[in-house]
Amino acid sequence: MKKLIVLLVLFTATASFGQSSTKAKALLDQVYNKVKSYDNIYVDFKYALNNKEANINQETRGDVTMQGDKYLFNYLGSQQLFDGNKVYTIVPENEEVTIEDKSTDENTITPSKMLTFYKKGHNYEMDIMQNIQGRKIQFVKLTPIDTNSEIKTILLGIDAETKHIYKLIETGKNGTKTTITVNSFKTNQPLSKTLFTFDESKYKNEGYYILRN
């Protein structure tokens, strides 16, 4: 009888996890399809890094404009531009521009992947629903399939009405917690035709050092 009860409990737990996983994947598919339907996306966000053990507690903000794979990323006083072929990192404080080829590492999270990175390499599970300033935010728990990953878990908070990502909470195996909160999410904005074009002559004329990797 005890064995039967244990088997029933295990079966119920497995079935519940399976349903949770299916629901989570369905929700993430909705988010992915919504993101891919836009011509361009602008995101203004808050970034927080916390590690109690190392006594690190930092907060800053940034913004990114994305169109397909191309992006313009402003963060910590620097700017990063990807024109589809090359990545340009512009650091006004050092009057320096670094030009690099696009990374071939599929695991590298670039700004153009920040809203779609979860499609590969994770197990999914529904987590809590929170009411945040009148918005229903459904969290999905992501666990890397790769056991060697430095990431322990990722909680992805999704606005239940708009299907837009509102918050990302990444917990590392070393105890570091990274939180990205979306302050503003705009779509299909009128963009300059030269927004994703790097003007090398402009920076040379301003005395910038151009470094090619």
Side-chain angles (χ1 to χ4, degrees):
M1 185 67 181
K2 285 183 179 179
K3 285 185 179 179
L4 180 60
I5 292 171
V6 170
L7 284 171
L8 283 170
V9 170
L10 286 173
F11 175 78
T12 304
T14 304
S16 297
F17 179 79
Q19 289 175 358
S20 176
S21 177
T22 301
K23 285 182 180 179
K25 186 180 184 307
L27 177 58
L28 290 175
D29 282 343
Q30 284 182 290
V31 175
Y32 181 82
N33 292 331
K34 195 81 177 281
V35 166
K36 286 297 184 181
S37 71
Y38 298 126
D39 178 62
N40 62 69
I41 296 171
Y42 169 81
V43 179
D44 178 277
F45 62 88
K46 182 175 76 173
Y47 174 93
L49 180 69
N50 182 267
N51 186 318
K52 291 181 180 178
E53 191 174 316
N55 197 28
I56 297 173
N57 192 14
Q58 300 173 342
E59 272 195 19
T60 187
R61 63 158 300 279
D63 64 77
V64 60
T65 302
M66 298 171 280
Q67 186 173 48
D69 286 337
K70 298 177 183 180
Y71 62 79
L72 180 64
F73 181 42
N74 296 295
Y75 179 67
L76 291 175
S78 299
Q79 188 175 76
Q80 192 172 83
L81 169 70
F82 179 56
D83 63 5
N85 295 305
K86 301 279 187 182
V87 179
Y88 306 88
T89 303
I90 304 155
V91 186
E93 186 178 354
N94 300 337
E95 294 189 337
E96 184 178 278
V97 177
T98 303
I99 303 175
E100 301 172 281
D101 289 328
K102 176 185 177 182
S103 174
T104 56
D105 184 359
E106 290 190 0
N107 295 319
T108 302
I109 304 299
T110 62
S112 54
K113 291 182 185 176
M114 67 183 292
L115 298 177
T116 58
F117 74 93
Y118 51 80
K119 279 294 279 185
K120 295 180 181 178
H122 299 90
N123 290 319
Y124 314 122
E125 180 185 349
M126 293 294 272
D127 206 90
I128 62 172
M129 169 85 81
Q130 282 188 338
N131 191 311
I132 301 176
Q133 297 176 344
R135 298 165 66 186
K136 290 184 178 179
I137 306 298
Q138 174 65 61
F139 282 88
V140 175
K141 184 178 180 181
L142 282 66
T143 307
I145 294 172
D146 182 2
T147 55
N148 294 319
S149 173
E150 295 179 2
I151 299 170
K152 184 180 178 182
T153 60
I154 296 172
L155 282 172
L156 209 55
I158 297 160
D159 187 310
E161 183 179 348
T162 65
K163 300 299 186 290
H164 291 162
I165 294 174
Y166 168 72
K167 182 172 284 193
L168 180 150
I169 305 170
E170 177 186 290
T171 303
K173 289 180 179 176
N174 64 354
T176 299
K177 182 176 282 188
T178 304
T179 304
I180 297 174
T181 306
V182 173
N183 296 321
S184 176
F185 190 105
K186 298 178 182 178
T187 62
N188 300 337
Q189 300 294 293
L191 302 180
S192 165
K193 291 181 180 179
T194 60
L195 184 65
F196 304 109
T197 302
F198 178 71
D199 186 351
E200 185 169 337
S201 61
K202 170 193 169 186
Y203 290 96
K204 279 184 175 179
N205 292 338
E206 292 180 2
Y208 275 64
Y209 179 69
I210 310 293
L211 178 66
R212 298 178 190 275
N213 286 350

